[in-house]
Amino acid sequence: VTWLEIAAAKRPERVAIEYGDRTLTYAQLLARARDAAPPSGARVALEQTDPLEFAVALHGCLLAGAAAVHDPGRSLLTWW
């Protein structure tokens, strides 16, 4: 059980991520992360430029036990 699963169970309607005028609740983030989860143990290159989609993809990797890697030519800060 991850912190996201606990938060989604305790406070599903609470906002987990906010970016501009867009938000995801804990329940929405968990559901989308599960949908985006790669196979367990996979290595996944994350190149999402949209912060909300990046968060969904990263949490999907965490839920699956996959390794998220980034392009070493780009700073992670450029995604945020």
Side-chain angles (χ1 to χ4, degrees):
V1 175
T2 67
W3 73 266
L4 178 57
E5 292 167 315
I6 293 168
K10 287 183 177 181
R11 301 177 191 93
E13 73 292 337
R14 184 172 279 181
V15 173
I17 299 175
E18 183 176 352
Y19 181 73
D21 62 346
R22 299 165 46 212
T23 61
L24 287 176
T25 65
Y26 283 107
Q28 291 169 325
L29 177 58
L30 180 59
R32 291 189 53 194
R34 285 180 173 159
D35 288 343
S40 180
R43 289 182 288 172
V44 180
L46 296 180
E47 297 184 20
Q48 295 288 339
T49 56
D50 180 272
L52 263 59
E53 296 305 318
F54 181 83
V56 167
L58 182 59
H59 282 90
C61 288
L62 293 173
L63 287 172
V69 296
H70 75 283
D71 180 350
R74 288 182 66 182
S75 167
L76 284 174
L77 296 177
T78 61
W79 284 322
W80 301 98

